[in-house]
Amino acid sequence: GVDSIRLVSMQNPAVPLVAITGGKNPPTVTVHKPEAGPVLTDTLNIEWTSADDGPGPLSHIVRISPDAGATWRVLASEFLGSQLTAPVADLPGGATCLVEVVASDGILCGRGVSPEFQIQNKPPEAKILFENERHLIPTPLATAVFEYGERIRLHAEANDLEDGWLRDSALAWEMSGPVAVAGTGRRFEP
């Protein structure tokens, strides 16, 4: 295996400009947590051990997959520790989640993967923004002023941690009161 890389000037090849020294073998990584078990609803605790036969500290990339490794999301990069905590509220849910830790000695990499675990799915997050004939109205809506008879437009933003941004066809509007009005899409003009 490769255990060092040197950059030298052709004018003075005996003196390296910079050198990276790793081990002769790839690092080893064992992920201890999370373990298979109950559905996580609050905090994801990740713990691992990594080792190398090289001289320097190991740098880590920590990733999570909600779908058994089909897609990955980076939680941390160039991480020097061996523990990481992430709030579950910020993570996509799934029944076949994995954590992967990749350790690098600067040249070679090794990886460890957790057993499958579950994170509770979350409902989509949505916002409604109002626009009058003059400009967009900032939230909170309590600060908005509309003239009598003025036309308004409503704009929707809807995102799901598991599915991404929702398509226009997935959004439906209902307005109740003396007159009921309904519509679909990102924009609604009652």
Side-chain angles (χ1 to χ4, degrees), residues 56-79:
L58 295 174
S59 175
H60 302 90
I61 298 173
V62 182
R63 302 191 313 167
I64 186 168
S65 170
D67 50 18
T71 60
W72 293 93
R73 176 178 171 186
V74 175
L75 298 176
S77 62
E78 298 184 33
F79 192 80

Side-chain angles (χ1 to χ4, degrees), residues 26-35 45-52 58 60 62 81-83 99-103 110-115:
T28 59
V29 182
T30 303
V31 179
H32 305 289
K33 288 186 180 179
E35 300 168 328
N45 294 310
I46 305 167
E47 294 180 17
W48 66 91
T49 54
S50 56
D52 186 44
L58 295 174
H60 302 90
V62 182
S82 61
Q83 296 180 358
V99 164
E100 175 190 56
V101 178
V102 177
R111 88 188 259 267
V113 179
S114 73

Side-chain angles (χ1 to χ4, degrees), residues 40-41 50 76 120 127 140 150 152 165:
L40 299 179
T41 58
S50 56
Q120 182 178 18
K127 275 192 220 176
E150 184 175 24
I152 61 168
W165 289 99

Side-chain angles (χ1 to χ4, degrees), residues 101-152:
V101 178
V102 177
S104 172
D105 63 9
I107 299 174
L108 300 173
C109 294
R111 88 188 259 267
V113 179
S114 73
E116 286 187 356
F117 61 96
Q118 296 181 51
I119 293 179
Q120 182 178 18
N121 285 339
K122 284 124 202 115
E125 294 182 8
K127 275 192 220 176
I128 298 175
L129 304 168
F130 288 79
E131 178 185 7
N132 61 14
E133 292 174 352
R134 293 163 282 155
H135 56 80
L136 233 90
I137 303 298
T139 53
L141 183 59
T143 64
V145 176
F146 299 100
E147 299 293 329
Y148 178 78
E150 184 175 24
R151 294 188 58 82
I152 61 168

